[in-house]
Amino acid sequence: MIELLRNAELYDPEPRGRRHLLVAGERVIWTGTSVPALDPALEVRERDLEGRRVIPGFIDSHVHLTGGGGEAGPHTRVPPTALSRLTTGGITTAIGVLGTDDVIRTTAELVTVARGLIAEGLSAWCYTGGYHVPPVTATGSVRGDLVLIDLVLGVGELAISDHRSSQPTLEELLRVAGDAHVGGLMSGKAGVVHLHLGDGARGLGLVRQALECSEIPAVVFNPTHVNRRKGLFDEAMAVAERGCTIDLTAFPVADGEDAWSAADGLVRYLDAGLPPARVTVSSDAGGCLPVFDQDGRVSAMDVGRPGALADTLRELLQAGQPLERVLPAFTSNPARLLLLAQKGHLTAGADADLIVLDAQGNVRDVMARGRWHVENGHSTVRGVFERLERR
Ligand SMILES: [Zn+2]
């Protein structure tokens, strides 16, 4: 199937002006400013985008694809994230993680759920392990999972500075990071340690120690949730300067809370003049967003939503941020960190993962691997069980 998308205001994520795009199968094969002459025998479909902004699909580097949670008992385990909830939120690439629950949830299950999403037209990868050390794996080691399982890109979300963590020591963190790095080298993958940061006052202390005392490159350490506390965010900006890529979570932030929203955090990061490629935004979709009391018991909970990335981008645009300034954090930056060469840009040869924005900056249409999944704000492709539910 070949489709010509006419009159896109293209951001790839650099602003390219008015362009036409030719999509063949799952790839973008050409972009240009004048409509190409195409043989009618090709039966090319055409769609006029009428000057709407077209951006690469979001790469969400932190999704609880199997569902997360369970921190207030078995009935609080979050169900798996449905295909259309991802696509209507503009997510065309999802990286699955396990969190607190790496007992009932397993790497094997996570890999399989990612494969299911791929079969349904999305792009998906995952991390091995979860909050705890030694990390739970499918093959018996982090290195083994990276080398032998194509979809495993690294290890995580490994918890530090959190009462739910294994209270890992520096040596334990270094052992995991070394395994991830070497497994990444052997498999040609990123081999990062995606680090869950809790509310603990120790913050990024372990990461700073790891940077000071080991040979492991800074890029291996990839802390997330760093906007959950303002002091932690300042620490994160400092490690970004030293080579780490930091990840902001698009969770809801109440007025007066000691946290930055992902939108505020991203603007602060960019305004500080830090390397613009070393910051990403993820949704934590399907994860439990618990509030704990002083005894470490859940006093309230919410669930991370896949729509949070789209909401964050719209918030940034409405605050007057230029699209090209903030877009890399949702697209090319995670692609670069995770070595996903086909993702995060819309040049010839890239995967045809794209979002058409409406005038207000909302996700209007979404194409994933060359197929329209969302049109006019409504999902047109649904997962198997979503289709059954509608009967
Ligand atoms: Zn987490």
Side-chain angles (χ1 to χ4, degrees):
M1 227 273 291
I2 302 179
E3 186 158 355
L4 177 64
L5 308 179
R6 300 168 71 127
N7 299 312
E9 191 65 27
L10 182 64
Y11 291 78
D12 77 347
E14 291 287 311
R16 301 293 179 196
R18 191 62 59 94
R19 294 266 173 147
H20 315 290
L21 292 89
L22 200 58
V23 172
E26 298 191 357
R27 298 273 169 89
V28 174
I29 59 166
W30 173 88
T31 76
T33 52
S34 53
V35 178
L38 295 164
D39 190 325
L42 292 172
E43 297 181 6
V44 175
R45 283 200 210 168
E46 289 198 24
R47 181 175 293 219
D48 190 348
L49 299 179
E50 299 170 336
R52 294 189 189 91
R53 290 167 290 181
V54 170
I55 63 176
F58 296 143
I59 300 172
D60 191 340
S61 58
H62 189 117
V63 187
H64 291 273
L65 294 176
T66 61
E71 287 132 323
H75 58 295
T76 63
R77 298 169 74 233
V78 181
T81 311
L83 174 72
S84 72
R85 295 211 53 218
L86 295 166
T87 52
T88 50
I91 297 164
T92 55
T93 299
I95 315 298
V97 296
L98 296 183
T100 317
D101 180 3
D102 44 17
V103 175
I104 313 297
R105 317 276 194 200
T106 63
T107 303
E109 181 193 1
L110 183 58
V111 168
T112 306
V113 171
R115 286 201 178 119
L117 288 166
I118 293 168
E120 291 176 333
L122 207 77
S123 297
W125 282 270
C126 65
Y127 294 119
T128 185
Y131 267 14
H132 303 111
V133 289
V136 293
T137 63
T139 66
S141 76
V142 166
R143 258 181 305 146
D145 281 10
L146 267 157
V147 173
L148 297 173
I149 305 173
D150 289 351
L151 296 188
V152 172
L153 298 180
V155 58
E157 56 171 318
L158 196 154
I160 59 171
S161 303
D162 193 301
H163 65 99
R164 292 162 290 173
S165 76
S166 292
Q167 310 297 325
T169 62
L170 176 61
E171 286 67 31
E172 285 170 324
L173 175 63
L174 290 177
R175 179 68 52 85
V176 173
D179 271 2
H181 177 53
V182 174
L185 294 177
M186 291 176 68
S187 59
K189 291 185 285 189
V192 295
V193 185
H194 188 60
L195 288 160
H196 161 103
L197 267 293
D199 279 329
R202 288 179 288 179
L204 283 163
L206 264 186
V207 172
R208 283 192 299 274
Q209 288 178 55
L211 296 179
E212 275 150 28
C213 78
S214 84
E215 306 77 20
I216 300 169
V219 70
V220 171
F221 300 96
N222 173 221
T224 184
H225 312 323
V226 296
N227 49 321
R228 72 185 304 156
R229 210 162 47 74
K230 290 177 180 173
L232 175 64
F233 183 69
D234 294 340
E235 291 181 58
M237 292 212 289
V239 298
E241 206 156 20
R242 296 173 68 173
C244 296
T245 295
I246 63 168
D247 184 47
L248 309 174
T249 304
F251 41 46
V253 173
D255 280 347
E257 194 180 336
D258 177 27
W260 297 114
S261 69
D264 285 345
L266 181 57
V267 171
R268 286 182 160 267
Y269 179 95
L270 296 170
D271 284 352
L274 292 164
R278 289 195 205 136
V279 62
T280 62
V281 181
S282 68
S283 72
D284 208 356
C288 183
L289 305 175
V291 179
F292 292 99
D293 65 17
Q294 286 191 333
D295 298 328
R297 298 281 165 183
V298 173
S299 56
M301 67 174 264
D302 195 358
V303 176
R305 296 176 311 103
L309 293 187
D311 291 349
T312 299
L313 183 66
R314 190 187 52 235
E315 189 185 331
L316 286 160
L317 295 177
Q318 286 175 353
Q321 289 292 320
L323 180 54
E324 62 271 28
R325 182 174 199 234
V326 295
L327 190 54
F330 300 79
T331 56
S332 54
N333 290 357
R336 186 179 297 115
L337 173 69
L338 297 172
L339 304 184
L340 304 176
Q342 295 300 114
K343 303 296 188 187
H345 59 101
L346 286 171
T347 43
D351 284 350
D353 295 338
L354 58 87
I355 299 170
V356 182
L357 296 176
D358 72 11
Q360 288 73 42
N362 297 300
V363 171
R364 181 182 191 274
D365 312 285
V366 178
M367 176 182 275
R369 286 169 40 210
R371 181 180 182 194
W372 291 106
H373 278 245
V374 178
E375 296 181 72
N376 256 322
H378 298 288
S379 72
T380 48
V381 178
R382 293 190 174 233
V384 171
F385 292 99
E386 292 184 276
R387 295 202 298 271
L388 289 175
E389 263 171 30
R390 299 182 82 202
R391 286 184 191 157

